[in-house]
Each structure stands twice: as structure tokens, then as C-alpha cells.
Amino acid sequence: MTATQEQMSEREEIEMLLPWYVTGRLDAADTARVAAYLERHPEVRSQIPLVRQELSATVAGNEAIRARLASAETLIAGAASPTERVLSWLSRTIRPARGLFTSPTPGAVRWAAAAAAVIICLQAAGLATLLSRDGSTYGTASRPGLEATQPAVAMIAFTDDATMTTIARVLDEHRLRIVDGPLPGGFYSVRFADEATAAEQQRRLGAIATRKDIVKAVLPRR
Amino acid sequence: MHDQVDDRQLITRIAGHDQSALRALLGRHQLRVYRFVLRIVRREAVAEEVANEVFLEVWKHAGNYEGRSSVGTWLLSVAHNRAVSALRKRREESWDEDAASNLEDEGDNPEVSLQKVNKAEQMRECIAKLSTEHRTIIDLVYYHEKSINEVSEILDIPLNTVKTRMFYARKKLSELLQAAGIDRGWP
């Protein structure tokens, strides 16, 4: 390699380092090396303003970008699966009651008793509604109602985006009820709420499987 | 530049699912990550999705952060991987980035460009016309102020490649400026 070639090579190396020299992101050794070279070669120093122009244009180009960005709450809500969302809601609901057991006060106990009474009334109303739906008749454990006698017909996995509301609505449209889950793989075991024929059951399972926005997979049970 | 100790503390708290820590991290890095991604994928909807994925990954897997690099560098590294994947997927789905770049190159002729008063704006336009690879490295060095080592880590390329890629990006920029009627006298 001739002296001229060596000089050119050194110059190229210095030119390659100039952007970092200008931004102050070179290590101490390289910073000293570039500074010394620029001292000896003023013609290369004339490139510094070019680098500064590039820098300010790049910064301006980036800062011109505005965005509507997701909040932490939105991100976290999007991350949760339907099951996690329900568990999170339950956790938030139960949390205030913890204080009752750690440091009960007369007021808190009275409030708790009233809340318990309301919950019992709601449960009673809910049970009455469930019994009156689907034309079911009253049944005891020894004589189960129609729904309970229906066998599980399929396993369904829901998409991560599906909300509890949409899942409930779609299942109801197809007269399906969840009987067990979540099972391994995120599946839920379902059965029909009415006495549909085998062909009708097949048609409904096929229809629900097409709801790709909500349903990830449908596995018929043999 | 943020206090790196604070950023690392935020990551530790996020690993314990501290929402306020995630909020603070978003305040510091979300816009920069979004801008970085948008300059690669060039579509706002895709950039929003990718940027959200980056922070979702942080929320879910903050424990994976090993602390070998700054949090900002780590985030840009994750963002780059995801942005490139999104770009690749989009190309497979028939949208051609190079074709789009070529279309942009057919913009103003030199005469029209010369009439533009704002030279800085022309520079911005020429940077936008660079290939994704060249534009990305220019953004990392000038806007994100990353060192050679950090760029190497974010793009997963050797140190020498970082230097040569930046050099050729600048050369290409000069060529584009020259074609637009601006002779910088370099290279």
C-alpha cells in the first residue's frame, strides 16, 4: 500500500466516524483521533457543517411526526385474555372487602350485611331467570332440567380479542352454554340449551366456527 | 437522554406489573419508538400496531431485560425486529416498498426543486427517499443519537457494517440532493 493509499484509507475512516463525532457519541480514543486528523486536514473539517445539516433535517423530519398513542391502561387491557379480564374484575371487586376481615368496624359490618342481603336477592332473581329461560321446568338435583341433561357437544377456544360480552352474545345466538373451562389450550366445553337435531347441531357448530373474530377453534366431541 | 438508572428501575417495576411504571416508560419512549417504526413501515396504522406490540412485550416480558444495553436501545432493537417483520409480511402480501420509493423518486424535477426556497425541506425530502436501510441508520445516529455499538446491537450487524452503511447512506443522500439541484461538494 502506497503512502497516498494509506492516507486515503485513513481519510475514509475519519469520514465514516464524522457523524458520531458531531453527535458526541464516539469513545474518547476515536474522538481524539478524529480531532487530531481534522486539525491536520482542514479540507475534511469542511464536512462538519454538512453533517450538522443532515442532523438537523433528520431531527426535524422525526419531530414533525405526531401520533395518537395508546395509554398504559389500553395496552394492558388489550394484553389480557377474556379469562384474565374476568379474574381482574373479580380481584378489583373483592379487594375492598379485605379490610372487613383485617380491621372490622361496626359500620363496615352493617354495610357488609346489607351487601350480602342484596347479593342473595340478586342470586335468587338470577336463578329464577335461569329456570324460566328455555322453557325449563323446575328440577332438583335428582331430576335435572333439560339443559343439564344435554351432553357437551364441542370444545371452543376464543380469540384473545373477544370480549365477554361478544362471547356471551354469540353463544346465545347459537343456543350454546359453557359447561366447563378454561381447559388446557384455552378451550371451553359447551353444550346446547335445547333439543336440536344432530343436523341442526352440526349446522350451528359450523356457523359459530366461521366467526373468526371471536372463535379461534371448534373441536366437536365424539 | 434519560437517566438510565431510572429506566432500569421502571423495567424492574413493570416486571412486577406496576402500571404507573409502564405509564412512565411510555411517557419517555413511546413517541420515539413510534417515530422510529413509522419511518420504517411508512404506514401510520401499522406503526401504531407495531409500537403497541413493543410495549405489550415489555409489559408481559419485562423480566427478560438483561440490562446489557440501555432500555432505549433495547426498545429500539425490539421495535426494529417487529417493524422489519411487519414490512416483510406486507411485501409478501404484494405491497412493494421499493416500488413505492421509486414512485416518490419520480417527484420534482431539478428545475422545480431549485425553486423551493427551503433547502432544509429538500434535505428532509431526500432523506425520506433513501432506502429503508439507509434511512433507518440515519435516524438511529442523528435523531436517536445512538453510538456505533448501540446501532450494531439494534440492527444486529457488525460494527464495521454500521460505519460503512452510514457512510453510503450519506453518499446516497448527496446524490439525491445533487439530482435535486443541490451540490454539496461531497463526496
Side-chain angles (χ1 to χ4, degrees), chain A residues 22 32 35 45 50 62 88 93-95 110 144 158 160 174 183 185 190:
Chain A
V22 169
R45 204 186 304 144
L50 300 184
N62 272 278
S88 162
T93 309
I94 290 166
R95 196 178 301 138
R110 274 198 298 276
F158 300 101
D160 292 341
H174 297 85
L183 304 167
V190 296

Side-chain angles (χ1 to χ4, degrees), chain A residues 25 54 62 66 70 73, chain B residues 23 30 142 145 170 184:
Chain A
R25 295 308 317 273
E54 293 163 10
N62 272 278
R66 294 279 173 264
E73 287 72 19
Chain B
R23 213 173 291 125
Q30 194 177 23
Y142 289 146
E145 296 182 341
R170 295 187 60 228
R184 305 208 298 163

Side-chain angles (χ1 to χ4, degrees), chain B residues 100-114:
Chain B
S101 300
N102 290 340
L103 283 177
E104 287 179 47
D105 282 347
E106 289 168 4
D108 303 334
N109 61 40
E111 286 76 20
V112 174
S113 297
L114 274 172

Side-chain angles (χ1 to χ4, degrees), chain B residues 95-128:
Chain B
W95 200 88
D96 189 343
E97 173 82 7
D98 293 331
S101 300
N102 290 340
L103 283 177
E104 287 179 47
D105 282 347
E106 289 168 4
D108 303 334
N109 61 40
E111 286 76 20
V112 174
S113 297
L114 274 172
Q115 290 167 5
K116 289 185 178 172
V117 182
N118 193 339
K119 200 172 162 184
E121 192 178 320
Q122 278 191 326
M123 173 86 83
R124 272 164 60 178
E125 284 178 11
C126 287
I127 291 172

Side-chain angles (χ1 to χ4, degrees), chain B residues 9 20 25 37 39 49 57 63 66-67 69 73 78-79 86 89 91 102 105 107 111 128 136 140 151 160 165 177:
Chain B
Q9 283 172 348
S20 65
L25 191 81
V37 173
R39 303 264 284 184
E49 196 179 316
E57 189 164 323
E66 295 168 350
S69 55
T73 298
V78 175
K89 190 177 162 200
R91 279 176 181 161
N102 290 340
D105 282 347
E111 286 76 20
T136 301
L140 285 172
V151 176
N160 277 336
R165 188 178 291 180
L177 283 165

Side-chain angles (χ1 to χ4, degrees), chain A residues 15 20 23 25 47 50-51 53-55 57-58 62-63 65-67 69-70 72-73 75-76 79, chain B residues 19 23 26 30 34-35 52 56 123-124 127 138-139 141-143 145-146 148 150 167 170 184 186:
Chain A
E15 283 184 341
W20 290 278
T23 59
R25 295 308 317 273
Q47 281 192 41
L50 300 184
V51 174
Q53 284 168 11
E54 293 163 10
L55 190 153
T58 307
N62 272 278
E63 290 188 343
I65 297 171
R66 294 279 173 264
L69 301 168
E73 287 72 19
L75 281 173
I76 293 162
Chain B
Q19 287 194 27
R23 213 173 291 125
L26 289 174
Q30 194 177 23
Y34 171 78
R35 284 170 172 166
N52 287 347
L56 263 182
M123 173 86 83
R124 272 164 60 178
I127 291 172
I138 281 197
D139 278 343
V141 177
Y142 289 146
Y143 177 64
E145 296 182 341
K146 293 299 172 189
I148 296 168
E150 287 168 336
F167 183 74
R170 295 187 60 228
R184 305 208 298 163
W186 183 85

